Amino acid sequence: MATTIMDLLSNLTNCLFCFPSSPNLKINSRTLRLLRLLGEGGFSYVYLVQDTSTSALYALKKIRCPFGQESVALALKEVEAYSLFGAVEGGDYIIHAVDHQVKDEGGRVSGIGGDGAQQKTVYILLPYYRRGNLQDEINANLVNRTRFSERRLMGIMLGVCRGLRAMHRYRVPGKDSGAGRARREAARVRGEAADEDRDLARQARSNARTMTMTASAQRSADDEEEQGVPLMPEDAGGEVTASQAGKKAGEAHAYAHRDIKPANIMLDDDDGEGDGSGSGETKPILMDLGSMAPSPTPITSRSQALAVQDTAAEHSTMPYRAPELFDVKTGSVIDTKVDIWSLGCTMYACLIGKSPFEARSDETGGSLSICVLGGDWKWPDENAPKPKRQGTIVEDGAANGSATGGGSGKKYPCDEVREVVRRCLAVESAERPDVDELISMIEEVLPKLPEGGNGLDD
Ligand SMILES: Nc1ncnc2c1ncn2[C@@H]1O[C@H](COP(=O)(O)OP(=O)(O)OP(=O)(O)O)[C@@H](O)[C@H]1O
């Protein structure tokens, strides 16, 4: 009975959080009218909002920070990521934030992980993509029994790769470059994070006198205030590795997205942003940068391996998660190839309807992680694959080349597209192409694919 009442109360609180009592909200100088809920994630809600003075539509991401300073720092890390790539080549394929604000929500943070400090909510104002994301298209295809034109899909994937290239080949910008401005903005955000954190640390220390707090949480709160250290180290999104600290302008400073999946690729119209240079085709926009991390990350200890594995379990969606993140080994290096794997899964999902490992695990009843770690996947028209060695799928002779997809008499997808997917899904990360190789592969395949009119060829 008590549990039922607690559940009811919890649902009511969530509901109130989901639909704020006032339909208007102020973010810095903008007054925004809440129109409807667009989507929700673990600790966040995304609303469609309208600026009351300009009528412009935006998506407003509201991130609740129930675990005090740690969760505020994570949310601000995401804010920082949204300002990093604005001036970098390919950065127009990555979502950028229009504005953000951290607000006090009245309540106090308590319970496990809570520090008694004021509960904060981080609001991030983003451009609104009315066409939705790739997952929406997959769902529509499943419902309507239609499928992606391979040419259109490869065109979209080329855009995704260009966005990924901006992350994977990121260099620390010079002071006077446009990217330098983005970096200064990120520094401003870090400053705010530090201020926020110092407030929270102060609060946490005073609360620690009256409530039980773990010794390590208290120590880190004290350290941060005494040293005046910002939560997020220079340009690192809060997770800098030793090898990347202290980088100078122009030095490579790669990031991996770590949660590439169809739902995190929004669709826009490539209209050249007003200058008429666009192709008029669908332009993919990478979003949800909350999982982004510096790359490479050398794994030097067992505890670090477990921490990286835990972070991946929390932030990288399982059917799209690379094998090296399921079982992180001491002495290994986690790098940008995790995104190449996820992109392979994404391409397959667009073509077939779900991630290759989800499909295989549904088919065999085996666990998803075993399928991923064993590289066990196949095209629907193939017999079961025989993993020869890690990363290589041997197609069964009977199925190889002779199968057709969808009953149209034409092999779907064609061999060239299958090869692109297969290369991305090598279990050994070193065998996967890097983003530049992948761009070259797609550019080579694209002209060979038949023109697709409306994106559906059934
Ligand atoms: N800019 C946008 N324009 C239109 N819709 C959006 C936008 N941003 C988010 N959405 C919608 O809100 C959903 C949740 O957004 P987002 O992925 O950023 O939240 P999240 O909490 O990080 O989710 P997850 O738990 O999947 O990581 C998206 O799948 C999408 O449907």
Side-chain angles (χ1 to χ4, degrees):
M1 182 64 180
T3 323
T4 316
I5 293 171
M6 289 303 284
D7 284 351
L8 278 173
L9 280 174
S10 156
N11 286 344
L12 189 64
T13 318
N14 284 342
C15 210
L16 288 174
F17 184 78
C18 167
F19 294 106
S21 49
S22 160
N24 282 357
L25 189 80
K26 226 170 151 48
I27 298 294
N28 299 320
S29 59
R30 288 182 176 84
T31 304
L32 303 167
R33 182 174 301 126
L34 294 168
L35 300 182
R36 67 180 166 92
L37 187 68
L38 287 171
E40 58 183 285
F43 289 107
S44 71
Y45 291 93
V46 181
Y47 300 95
L48 175 64
V49 296
Q50 186 168 39
D51 188 319
T52 54
S53 54
T54 64
S55 298
L57 293 175
Y58 296 101
L60 180 69
K61 186 164 182 172
K62 178 178 183 179
I63 307 175
R64 199 160 50 140
C65 303
F67 302 121
Q69 56 184 338
E70 193 192 332
S71 45
V72 173
L74 265 180
L76 286 171
K77 180 186 127 181
E78 185 171 341
V79 172
E80 177 176 347
Y82 287 125
S83 66
L84 220 48
F85 304 103
V88 181
E89 194 189 333
D92 53 325
Y93 291 94
I94 301 174
I95 196 166
H96 63 276
V98 177
D99 205 350
H100 78 275
Q101 194 175 4
V102 183
K103 288 188 182 238
D104 285 336
E105 293 294 355
R108 300 255 156 212
V109 182
S110 57
I112 300 164
D115 50 17
Q118 193 84 15
Q119 174 139 334
K120 307 270 176 180
T121 298
V122 177
Y123 290 89
I124 311 176
L125 195 61
L126 300 160
Y128 169 55
Y129 296 105
R130 65 180 174 82
R131 292 182 58 181
N133 57 45
L134 267 182
Q135 185 62 51
D136 297 328
E137 288 221 0
I138 291 175
N139 297 346
N141 281 342
L142 289 171
V143 169
N144 301 326
R145 298 177 65 82
T146 49
R147 62 191 191 195
F148 265 99
S149 135
E150 293 160 279
R151 189 183 178 98
R152 175 165 174 265
L153 179 63
M154 286 296 115
I156 291 174
M157 288 303 138
L158 193 55
V160 173
C161 286
R162 288 183 178 141
L164 275 185
R165 193 178 189 285
M167 291 183 180
H168 292 186
R169 300 278 180 256
Y170 184 76
R171 289 185 175 275
V172 178
K175 225 180 175 179
D176 298 322
S177 68
R181 280 193 297 280
R183 196 171 179 229
R184 281 194 292 283
E185 163 60 13
R188 184 180 71 76
V189 172
R190 277 196 301 276
E192 281 179 18
D195 289 347
E196 291 290 325
D197 193 45
R198 273 191 289 276
D199 284 352
L200 291 169
R202 214 168 281 128
Q203 186 72 52
R205 249 199 332 281
S206 75
N207 287 338
R209 288 183 206 108
T210 52
M211 66 183 281
T212 312
M213 201 180 166
T214 64
S216 66
Q218 180 65 53
R219 234 183 352 262
S220 77
D222 284 348
D223 287 351
E224 273 149 14
E225 188 186 32
E226 276 152 23
Q227 297 163 18
V229 183
L231 270 177
M232 284 170 280
E234 177 82 346
D235 209 9
E239 217 187 315
V240 74
T241 62
S243 64
Q244 288 168 326
K247 296 249 163 155
K248 295 195 178 64
E251 276 189 71
H253 193 83
Y255 290 93
H257 182 287
R258 289 207 188 174
D259 197 19
I260 295 291
K261 60 177 176 177
N264 282 341
I265 300 171
M266 301 305 295
L267 300 174
D268 196 12
D269 298 310
D270 187 9
D271 57 5
E273 293 192 355
D275 65 5
S277 65
S279 62
E281 288 173 2
T282 309
K283 180 176 180 176
I285 305 286
L286 288 174
M287 69 151 201
D288 197 359
L289 308 186
S291 50
M292 207 175 85
S295 171
T297 302
I299 308 298
T300 53
S301 65
R302 184 70 194 136
S303 59
Q304 191 194 2
L306 291 175
V308 170
Q309 204 167 296
D310 283 353
T311 306
E314 206 179 319
H315 291 283
S316 313
T317 309
M318 205 172 175
Y320 298 87
R321 193 188 307 154
E324 59 269 31
L325 289 173
F326 276 86
D327 181 22
V328 180
K329 301 224 160 52
T330 309
S332 67
V333 174
I334 303 295
D335 62 15
T336 51
K337 295 286 186 74
V338 296
D339 290 341
I340 304 294
W341 173 279
S342 305
L343 198 55
C345 296
T346 298
M347 282 186 239
Y348 183 101
C350 290
L351 293 158
I352 305 302
K354 54 171 89 160
S355 138
F357 302 99
E358 210 175 8
R360 189 74 183 133
S361 130
D362 287 352
E363 187 184 336
T364 61
S367 97
L368 183 64
S369 56
I370 302 266
C371 292
V372 171
L373 288 165
D376 182 9
W377 68 281
K378 68 180 197 65
W379 295 103
D381 57 20
E382 289 173 353
N383 292 332
K386 295 177 197 139
K388 191 170 67 177
R389 62 187 160 90
Q390 281 206 326
T392 310
I393 304 292
V394 181
E395 289 175 344
D396 192 277
N400 198 6
S402 62
T404 59
S408 64
K410 197 178 79 182
K411 190 172 183 180
Y412 179 88
C414 64
D415 286 333
E416 288 85 353
V417 171
R418 289 183 188 217
E419 179 61 8
V420 175
V421 175
R422 190 190 68 78
R423 290 286 316 279
C424 293
L425 295 182
V427 174
E428 280 300 331
S429 65
E431 290 176 15
R432 287 171 222 151
D434 65 18
V435 72
D436 290 302
E437 280 174 81
L438 189 54
I439 288 177
S440 305
M441 283 175 75
I442 296 177
E443 281 175 341
E444 210 182 304
V445 167
L446 248 176
K448 297 179 189 160
L449 301 171
E451 297 280 351
N454 61 1
L456 307 173
D457 59 6
D458 255 0

